[in-house]
Amino acid sequence: MSAPDPAYELDVELSVNGEARRARVEARRSLAELLRDDLGLTGTHLGCEHGVCGSCTVLLDGEPVRSCLTLAVQATGRAVTTVEGLAVGDDLHPVQQGCLECHSFQCGFCTPGVLVTAAALLDEVPDPDEATIREALSGNLCRCTGYESIVEGVLRAAELRREA
Amino acid sequence: MVARLTGSSVRRVEDPRILTGRGRYVDDVTLPGMLHAAFVRSPFPHARVQGIDVSEALRMPGVRAVLTASDLDGVATDLTPVGPPDLLLAPFPALARDTVRLVGDPVAVVLADSRARAEDGAELVEVDYDPLPGVGDMDDVLAGTTAAIFPELGTNVVHRATHRYGDTDAAFAAAERVIRARFEQHRHANVPMECRGMIAHHDPATGVLDVLAAHQSPHALRLHLADVLGLPAHAVRVHCGDIGGSFGQKFGLTNEDVAICAASVVLGRPVKWIEDRSENLMVGGQAREERVDVEAAVDAEGRLLGVRLRLVLDQGAYPKIGYPATGYVSIVRALFPAAYRLEHLDVESVVVCTNKATYVPYRGPWEIETWVRERLLDRVARELGLEPAVVRERNLLRPDELPCESTTGVELQGFDPRRTFDDALALLDVPAFRARQAAARADGRLLGLGLVNVLEPAPVTPSLIRAMGIMAAPRTVQEARARLELDGSVTVFTSQMPHGQGHETTLAQLAADELGLTLDRVRVVHGDTQLTPFNMVGTGGSRAATLASGAVVGAAVAVRDRVLAVAAELMEIAPADLELVDGHVVARGAPEVRRSLAEIGRLATMRPGLANADGRPGIEEVGTYLSEEGTWSVATHACEVDVDPETGLVHIDRYVVVGDCGAVINPAIVDGQVRGGVAQGIGAVLLERSAYDRDAQFLSSTFMDHLLPTAVDIPRIEVHHIHHDPTGGIDYRGVGEGGAIGAPAALTGAIEDALAHLGVRITEQHLPPGRILELIDDVTAG
Amino acid sequence: MKPPPFAYVAPDTVEGVVGALVDAGEDAKILAGGQSLLPLLALRLGRPSVLVDMGRVPGLDTVRLDGDALVLGALTTHARLGRDPEVAGPMPLLAEVAPLVAHAAVRNRGTLGGSLAHNDPAAEWPAVALLLGASVTAVGPAGSRTIAAGDLFESYLTTALAPDEVLTEVRVPGVPPRTGDAFDEVSRRHGDFALVGAGARVTLDAAGVVVAAAVVFIGVDGTAVLDEQPGLDLAGRAPTPEALDEVARAAADRLDPHDDLHATAAYRRRLAATLACRTLVTAAGRAAGEARP
């Protein structure tokens, strides 16, 4: 089976927050840019574009990935969850509710990446201790909070999940 | 009965949109016909620009225009910094005309259909540079061996000042000991998570320039832009949505601001610019590079008799428009004594110009005075074999000594100079720590304790402003407006520009309480120069809690008075017998006698003469607040560390802040500010550095090189609040900067304390693990 | 910080990948997880004309035992190495090292093969491959060949792979009896590239005396450095803390690290000695039967 020719522009078809979406993009376009600019989902933020700050974190098939280090074309056929996909209608996801109750954030720029990472953490480890939470969030930089309020928010989210 | 909101950790109004990814930051906005900008930037610290060839770039698909300095002639003037007459300043163009003065200095701007295409085009712009020697070391400037970066100034020493308070000669003559040290603070940066940017839209049809900015002071930006672009101020609108942090960086006027707005004027289309992280680290703004040589005369008990300081500050190449460098050195000088007893003080300051990024105000821009003073007290303790807490206790003013005036002319009143210190010591139990420290040493473990007292002007007081030597600055007046809408809801307009501080919530809490409303019935409008009251500062300098609160409460009270007057007329009950409860005006003692605020609002607007004697319809009132003396926040920081002698890595075992910032509007928000500031101070000591080599070549342009602390690096920070004198009224004090001011001293003090028994003395602020091992080796090897 | 333009192709066979590399000439780069390549492109430090994505080729992420050798597909992610019992069972060192690689979001995408082919001097997997005597399968236009780890890593960001070869599989021989291994690193922050890292492997005889020992270092040179001298120094000796410390220091003395923004050469050498000693001690303990946590 021969390979197709390399192309500068390609079609991408993927699922985003449960909805089938498509776009035609340059090969160099990142998943972050696809989400923000082609699909209008600006919740995912760009803080460094070289894979360190974590503001761009989304879930790819349920796992946190840096959408700035994922090409849009690599996401074809996959399922992406962004911060916009955490709430169900008006019902906040437990991480959103927990962080609301605990005043977890200030300027909000790191927030989507943190929420998505925390949501995935709680799916895998429903009752994490503080060290586990900090480790899981160690790839998400926040400049405003000093992290403690975020940790509290995730602990509260774990409680809310248990109560649900 | 609506519960009182002020004083409780009410959930943030901002959070529903922030948490659902519906915040609206500059880069989230797209306008029809919008072009994207990328700057061509100098790779050299210092060079002549002999020529620029943009022809290749223009041929790139998607590139619409490439502008250089000559394209801006007639569109934008040079940027003209202002400052006191003895500060040497030179204007500079938005895009380099013939000289570049730092790595990253913009030379051209490419406008294209996408940022990626703009960057493609930028790579093709050919600039003929003739490199010049780069000035990267303050000592080279002081030695007089450098050529002037601004030839018209003739020197790279742009300011010198000497101030003498009291009689240091006499103090030094009487001293038991004179202690000398050189303290060096390294260059680092604000690094907000959102990079700088704006969307400038000059509409040729209307002549209006509409700027969506991320900026702490929209009104100031508006004036600067109108001035530089030669537009009438009425034709310039600046507005801000959500801002991803700033910490002093998104402030004043920058080259990029001018170039982007000018590009929109030239092209007649909206232009978006978002810097990338490399640009932000390189030219977004840096701070804290200061060196202080200190001599302290002390008596046998460790009391400071006299201090001589020589401060050198590296302001980088271009001065900050909106914050002259003298602003930094003068506040350091004026605040140095803080709440300690110090009569005799000489301060010599020097500001030098180098080929580095602009020195910008970074959260507590005067932080070095706390760092040097507190570390000096530690040094005094070590030299005299005393406990650092004891030396502080001997030097701190006692409450009965206030009110008084510091030797620099600052009125010290309105706070307790000892309470946070005493409370912190009680929490720490220093003798118990010393016992643990000794036991740990026997095991080869190195524990240390650092202690710091912070006096934060929150905001700057009139006497502090005078002490800084700013005679012409008016007293800070803050204005707010409150409007009763036709449905009984209330809109509050503030000149604050929150970028994480939660003003949409805190100011609403205050207004809602005055008007007997639930939080959802009040909305705080900010950031739009067409709507909000004027203020040159916007948000910064720890002022919102006091000034904005005062203005908002004033406006809300004025609205309340007017509402009660209207209700009194409608209900034929004296205003004194009416109260505002739950969105209604209610007769005291007869709650069934009531009118809704909606009805009041409607009638006040629709019935001429009802609300205002001059016939003006509706109820909309202005509140103003003048800053007074006594607006100080006090805090004591304490830090316990464990230094690994094999790797030099530092673990923070405990961090405590005991603070008095007066009354607190929203405790959770205040605690967040304190913790965030402390985290930045910790990062500065252990991780963060804006690195240049001696020739001013920039070395740390990615997050792999410029390290920020993560969730694993910042410990839990215990925050204890005290309120020394709950007198009521507007006693909310700022607190946004104190955390960042105290933490470097607390942490470096703790690290030194862990190593002091080995003979280590630390007078530098950046302590990566390798450096800590070097410091140990230096004393143990010798 | 946008990459320069490139063309992209995602063949669904190994032959297709090789063919695409051949067609594109020297200008092509293989895309696996992209966690090392994409930052370089964003910073415009590389400008490949074509990215050949091997991520759509099925069967390159399998984990299987072949006898007592562990065979890992090149596209096995760091995350999988950290949590798959099929890995931890036969080769616990891999599961211990995986959490040291960057952060979870990077581990979910980054691959073993990609890391080995990229050969960053501070990356863990090249060092672990050297320490465990691993080999890789490389497929090119002329067919496939096996490259031992010792021959694979040449210098800074350079391997023995030809521009038209793709690394498809990694083979880790079974752990000999009475053999223990360990790896440790020091970084500025959790998840950063290591300032210095060291791994050790020790084999004892029935009497508890050393028959083989090796250490490997990262962050001290252009590429990971395997040092088998400790085996010679310790042959026939009991692995006492003093002996291991002495050997560790000697190994560190043989290194030639450099100064950079994050650490001085002296600091790196010192950490190398500390970490070599720590890992030798742990490895020797494990060889003697001490349980792994």
Side-chain angles (χ1 to χ4, degrees), chain B residues 115-116 119-120 123 276 278 645-647 649 686-687 689 691 699 702-705 707-708 713 768-770 773-774 777, chain C residues 1-5 39 42-44 47 103 186-190 192-193 195 261-264 267 270-271 274-275 278:
Chain B
R115 171 73 185 207
E119 288 188 22
D120 296 342
E123 285 190 309
D276 63 33
S278 289
E646 289 194 309
T647 61
L649 291 169
L686 299 179
L687 294 166
R689 188 163 79 101
L699 303 174
T702 71
F703 273 160
M704 275 83 89
D705 299 315
L707 305 179
L708 294 184
D713 301 304
L773 292 191
E774 272 177 10
D777 284 349
Chain C
M1 209 182 285
K2 310 296 183 188
L43 292 165
R44 299 199 174 212
R47 18 195 89 236
H103 297 284
V186 170
S187 52
R188 293 288 295 277
R189 297 171 306 177
H190 176 75
D192 281 345
F193 276 115
L195 290 174
L261 198 62
H262 291 297
T264 61
Y267 181 62
R270 186 173 171 156
L271 281 185
T274 302
L275 292 173
R278 283 186 194 169

Side-chain angles (χ1 to χ4, degrees), chain C residues 47-61:
Chain C
R47 18 195 89 236
S49 56
V50 180
L51 245 57
V52 181
D53 185 355
M54 64 184 286
R56 300 283 174 184
V57 178
L60 292 183
D61 59 354

Side-chain angles (χ1 to χ4, degrees), chain A residues 16-17 35 41-45 55 57-59 80-88 93 95-96 111-116, chain B residues 17-23:
Chain A
V16 181
N17 298 329
L35 294 168
L41 295 165
T42 57
T44 301
H45 297 147
S55 296
T57 309
V58 299
L59 301 183
V80 174
T81 307
T82 69
V83 63
E84 291 96 336
L86 289 179
V88 179
H93 186 285
V95 287
Q96 292 168 315
T111 300
V114 171
L115 290 175
V116 150
Chain B
R17 70 177 186 272
I18 295 294
L19 293 169
T20 54
R22 291 178 299 187

Side-chain angles (χ1 to χ4, degrees), chain A residues 4 7 28 33 49 64 135, chain C residues 2-3 8-9 56 83 108 190:
Chain A
R28 60 174 163 172
E33 291 172 295
E49 294 189 287
E135 206 281 331
Chain C
K2 310 296 183 188
Y8 169 95
V9 64
R56 300 283 174 184
R83 61 167 185 253
N108 286 333
H190 176 75

Side-chain angles (χ1 to χ4, degrees), chain B residues 486-619:
Chain B
L486 269 73
D487 65 352
S489 66
V490 171
T491 311
V492 173
F493 301 87
T494 175
S495 49
Q496 290 304 306
M497 187 58 247
H499 42 286
Q501 296 89 340
H503 298 153
E504 285 174 49
T505 307
T506 52
L507 298 180
Q509 286 175 261
L510 292 169
D513 278 349
E514 293 301 333
L515 296 166
L517 293 170
T518 52
L519 202 64
D520 63 305
R521 298 298 288 167
V522 179
R523 185 166 78 98
V524 175
V525 168
H526 56 80
D528 189 334
T529 56
Q530 292 189 156
L531 297 174
T532 58
F534 175 83
N535 193 279
M536 272 311 276
V537 175
T539 291
S542 300
R543 64 191 49 229
T546 306
L547 301 181
S549 302
V552 166
V553 168
V557 166
V559 164
R560 184 182 70 204
D561 289 348
R562 197 124 305 280
V563 164
L564 292 179
V566 168
E569 193 168 322
L570 293 172
M571 297 164 77
E572 294 179 338
I573 299 174
D577 297 327
L578 295 171
E579 54 187 359
L580 284 175
V581 178
D582 253 332
H584 288 77
V585 180
V586 172
R588 287 183 199 279
E592 70 283 1
V593 180
R594 55 172 47 203
R595 297 290 187 106
S596 72
L597 238 54
E599 192 182 353
I600 305 289
R602 197 182 66 249
L603 292 172
T605 306
M606 300 305 190
R607 208 182 275 181
L610 175 60
N612 303 289
D614 62 6
R616 175 169 57 93
I619 297 177

Side-chain angles (χ1 to χ4, degrees), chain C:
Chain C
M1 209 182 285
K2 310 296 183 188
F6 51 78
Y8 169 95
V9 64
D12 56 8
T13 61
V14 175
E15 295 68 38
V17 170
V18 174
L21 291 174
V22 169
D23 288 345
E26 300 256 331
D27 256 358
K29 283 292 280 182
I30 294 176
L31 177 66
Q35 304 303 281
S36 300
L37 179 63
L38 293 178
L40 289 180
L41 298 186
L43 292 165
R44 299 199 174 212
L45 293 175
R47 18 195 89 236
S49 56
V50 180
L51 245 57
V52 181
D53 185 355
M54 64 184 286
R56 300 283 174 184
V57 178
L60 292 183
D61 59 354
T62 55
V63 171
R64 64 188 172 89
L65 277 176
D66 180 18
D68 56 2
L70 183 64
V71 181
L72 303 156
L75 295 182
T76 308
T77 62
H78 311 303
R80 175 127 180 244
L81 293 172
R83 61 167 185 253
D84 190 342
E86 310 273 305
V87 171
M91 210 61 62
L93 187 66
L94 299 182
E96 284 170 8
V97 170
L100 299 175
V101 178
H103 297 284
V106 170
R107 293 196 290 273
N108 286 333
R109 296 286 294 160
T111 65
L112 174 63
S115 173
L116 295 177
H118 184 66
N119 196 27
D120 187 291
E124 292 84 356
W125 296 131
V128 171
L130 286 169
L131 190 67
L132 300 181
S135 60
V136 306
T137 303
V139 178
S144 76
R145 61 177 176 131
T146 303
I147 310 175
D151 298 322
L152 179 61
F153 308 111
E154 291 184 346
S155 63
Y156 180 66
L157 301 184
T158 309
T159 66
L161 293 169
D164 55 11
E165 276 184 313
V166 55
L167 193 161
T168 56
E169 207 171 62
V170 182
R171 184 185 189 87
V172 187
V175 181
R178 287 185 298 273
T179 298
D181 47 39
F183 189 92
D184 197 4
E185 65 183 36
V186 170
S187 52
R188 293 288 295 277
R189 297 171 306 177
H190 176 75
D192 281 345
F193 276 115
L195 290 174
V196 176
R201 197 177 215 201
V202 176
T203 303
L204 305 174
D205 70 12
V209 142
V210 177
V211 301
V215 292
V216 69
F217 296 101
I218 60 173
V220 296
D221 207 323
T223 186
V225 175
L226 178 71
D227 186 344
E228 291 173 303
Q229 184 66 32
L232 304 172
D233 294 344
L234 290 167
R237 294 165 69 186
T240 62
E242 298 73 30
L244 296 179
D245 185 55
E246 173 200 309
V247 157
R249 285 173 195 285
D253 280 344
R254 287 191 284 277
L255 297 171
D256 184 25
H258 51 278
D259 288 345
D260 72 10
L261 198 62
H262 291 297
T264 61
Y267 181 62
R268 289 180 192 269
R269 190 193 300 279
R270 186 173 171 156
L271 281 185
T274 302
L275 292 173
C277 184
R278 283 186 194 169
T279 52
L280 279 167
V281 167
T282 305
R286 288 170 172 175
E290 279 167 24
R292 302 177 94 108

Side-chain angles (χ1 to χ4, degrees), chain B residues 637-703:
Chain B
H637 292 222
C639 177
E640 291 179 19
V641 299
D642 185 337
V643 180
D644 185 332
E646 289 194 309
T647 61
L649 291 169
V650 175
H651 185 268
I652 300 173
D653 288 344
R654 190 177 185 196
Y655 200 104
V656 177
V657 179
V658 180
D660 182 350
C661 59
V664 168
I665 303 168
N666 189 315
I669 289 179
V670 168
D671 289 352
Q673 289 294 306
V674 173
R675 293 195 174 104
V678 169
Q680 288 179 310
I682 291 173
V685 173
L686 299 179
L687 294 166
E688 302 170 35
R689 188 163 79 101
S690 302
Y692 286 90
D693 67 16
R694 191 165 179 181
D695 302 317
Q697 181 56 245
F698 189 59
L699 303 174
S700 53
S701 63
T702 71
F703 273 160

